[in-house]
Structures are given as structure tokens and as C-alpha cells.
Amino acid sequence: MEVAFIGLGNMGRPMAACLMRDGHVVHGFDVMREMLDGHVSDGGRAAASVAEAVRNADAVVTMLPAGRHVREVFTGSGGIFASLGDRKPLLIDSSTIDVATARDVAAAAAQRGLDMLDAPVSGGSAGATAGTLTFMVGGPETAFARAAPLFKAMGRNIVHCGASGAGQAAKICNNMMLGINMIGVAEGIALAQRLGLDLRKLFEVSSTSSGQSWALTKYCPAPGPVPESPANRDYVAGFATALMLKDLSLAQAAAEDTGAPTPLGAQAARIYDRVARDYAAKDFSVVFKWLSEKSREDLT
């Protein structure tokens, strides 16, 4: 396919590269020139604007920071809708944004006879590079079927979660659970350290018993037990603390809108808000390092 890819940052650029490895031609656009240059060095084609990127596209993929950017890129002057004319490419938004914006933009697409999917991802930059992302997809079944070749080029687990907005709902719920879980793992290890317990012994016990979780066994926040975890690389971000805070904030906004009780999610958002003040660019598992630097009194 001819694919337009809008947003070539830490996730978008490697996702576009996966599409190219699968034989697709990718016309990229990003407001940051260095991101666009990176895409070209990967073998992509550079577009000077959104309009130029989508000119001959069979599909358009967006990976943008927030809902306001998605709304502007799709519905603004010079944006995707204004630039398509009578053409009807498949539209895929892989940004992580609020459910309401995802549904609003999808409704605007449907009014124009366009197939649109919200398809946020899990797996971080490593998964984007390896083509092993999980896609949580919302939108029509027909659009999901059209998108299958593109998803398979970029990901390993592709789940159709329901109607428009369902992908975003799944993403924020999943990441709220992850944020809560990572804090719990970090607290347990931090307490073990102060009790003088050998971390490897705790890992041996917890990784094979009721304390087991992905946050412990695949992404351990303390250096040592899991060599591939960011903790062993000074918390170089696979999924940055600032992004975890963003997702927890989106989850709390959704909980407020729906009246859902999420006391642990709210507390996780407050904790990550404080962690982000010191370690916004570090991997979210840095919450362990942050806790290790604190006293009990610091958090009261």
C-alpha cells in the first residue's frame, strides 16, 4: 500500500519502518525536521505537509501526542479531512488519547464516508522496533479487516475491542492496571531492601508464587534479576514516566466522567505526578529508584 504516516517520534518512526520492511511505501510527515530526516534515512519518503503525505495514500496512520493534536490533524484547516477530496483511504489513529475525542473524530470521519479506527498500542519503543506491538482497536469490523495487513506488519497481538473508542478504553484501563502494579512491585522490593533481604531471593520466591506479575518477571524495576529490563540501563525509557502519567490522567478523567471508583488508580496518578517531577524522561519503572530515595515521612 501507499501509506501516509503522520507523527514520526519514538513510536511512529519505528512503526513506519516496520511497514516499509513489509513492502509498503510510506510517506511521512512530522513537524520536527529531525524526525522526518530519520524517517528518510530509514528509506521513507518525506512530505512537506499533511496534505502532501495523504495525497495518494491508501491508508493514513497517525501517532500523535494528545487528543488536541489528533483533532487538529484530522479536522483542522490543511488537515487530513480537508486534504482528501473524494478519496477514501483507511484511517488509523494509534495515538493514546481520551475516549471522547476518539469517538468525535471517528464520527466526523463516518459522516464523510471514511473508515476510521482508534488503535493505540502497548509494547513501547522496543516493541515498535521489533514489530511486536499489541494493538487495541476500536471501530467498524469492515475497517478492522481492511487494516489487517498493516497491523500484522507492526504488531503481534491485534485485538478488535469493539466500536469506536473501545481501543482507547482498553488502553487506558490496561495502563492504569500496569501503573498500579508497578508501584506495588516497587514498594515490595524497596521494603525488602530495608529489611536486608537478598533481592534475588525475593525474586525467586515472588516470581513463582502469588506476587508474580509482568511488572516483576518481565520488567523488574530493580537492577539485577531481569537483565533486559530498563533498570539495568539506568532506566532508559521504553515507556517514559511522563507517558505513564498521561495515561493515568486519561484513566482518571474517564473515571470522573463515568463515576467509576478507582481509588488505587487515583493514588497511582498522584505518585507518578511526583515521580515525573524528577524523572519524566526515564522509564516508568524508575518509580522503584524514586521510592528508594524517599523516607516514609516524605510521602505523608
Side-chain angles (χ1 to χ4, degrees):
M1 295 186 192
E2 295 268 339
V3 181
F5 208 112
I6 315 300
L8 297 165
N10 291 336
M11 294 296 291
R13 178 182 167 186
M15 290 168 68
C18 286
L19 291 172
M20 290 185 288
R21 286 199 298 271
D22 201 50
H24 304 284
V25 177
V26 181
H27 302 264
F29 175 73
D30 196 288
V31 295
M32 303 291 289
R33 182 68 213 187
E34 59 267 33
M35 303 299 183
L36 195 55
D37 290 343
H39 172 64
V40 172
S41 71
D42 293 338
R45 301 184 184 182
S49 64
V50 169
E52 183 179 330
V54 305
R55 183 174 296 154
N56 297 306
D58 301 303
V60 180
V61 184
T62 51
M63 177 59 90
L64 300 165
R68 61 187 176 87
H69 303 105
V70 171
R71 193 182 294 274
E72 177 63 23
V73 165
F74 277 93
T75 68
S77 175
I80 292 169
F81 293 157
S83 303
L84 289 178
D86 295 330
R87 301 185 62 256
K88 299 190 183 301
L90 172 65
L91 307 176
I92 301 171
D93 178 40
S94 284
S95 318
T96 297
I97 61 173
D98 60 288
V99 175
T101 296
R103 288 175 174 164
D104 286 348
V105 177
Q111 288 176 353
R112 293 165 171 81
L114 296 164
D115 277 342
M116 184 169 183
L117 300 168
D118 53 284
V121 301
S122 179
S125 55
T129 300
T132 58
L133 292 170
T134 292
F135 282 87
M136 295 149 272
V137 187
E141 288 275 6
T142 52
F144 183 68
R146 284 180 68 187
L150 301 178
F151 288 143
K152 288 176 182 177
M154 298 183 286
R156 179 176 294 167
N157 303 303
I158 300 101
V159 181
H160 187 228
C161 299
S164 295
Q168 299 295 349
K171 173 68 183 285
I172 62 175
C173 292
N174 178 77
N175 279 18
M176 183 178 72
M177 290 187 278
L178 174 59
I180 293 167
N181 187 211
M182 182 58 77
I183 294 169
V185 171
E187 286 186 3
I189 296 174
L191 176 60
Q193 279 190 331
R194 299 198 188 194
L195 291 170
L197 181 62
D198 185 319
L199 174 54
R200 292 187 181 277
K201 295 301 181 182
L202 175 65
F203 185 84
E204 185 178 345
V205 170
S206 296
S207 65
T208 57
S209 64
S210 55
Q212 190 278 331
S213 68
W214 182 91
L216 175 67
T217 59
K218 298 296 185 182
Y219 217 77
C220 182
V226 180
E228 62 272 22
S229 77
N232 296 294
R233 303 187 304 278
D234 191 32
Y235 300 96
V236 172
F239 184 62
T241 295
L243 295 177
M244 175 54 79
L245 176 58
K246 170 192 168 184
D247 288 1
L248 289 168
S249 299
L250 287 171
Q252 287 310 294
E256 182 70 24
D257 288 345
T258 59
T262 57
L264 291 180
Q267 181 66 3
R270 286 191 287 269
I271 289 171
Y272 270 104
D273 179 64
R274 294 186 63 178
V275 179
R277 297 174 199 176
D278 298 323
Y279 297 115
K282 293 290 188 180
D283 189 83
F284 81 105
S285 57
V286 79
V287 66
F288 167 73
K289 175 178 170 64
W290 182 83
L291 283 169
S292 299
E293 297 166 345
K294 303 295 181 185
S295 69
R296 189 174 180 84
E297 290 73 25
D298 290 333
L299 303 184
T300 57

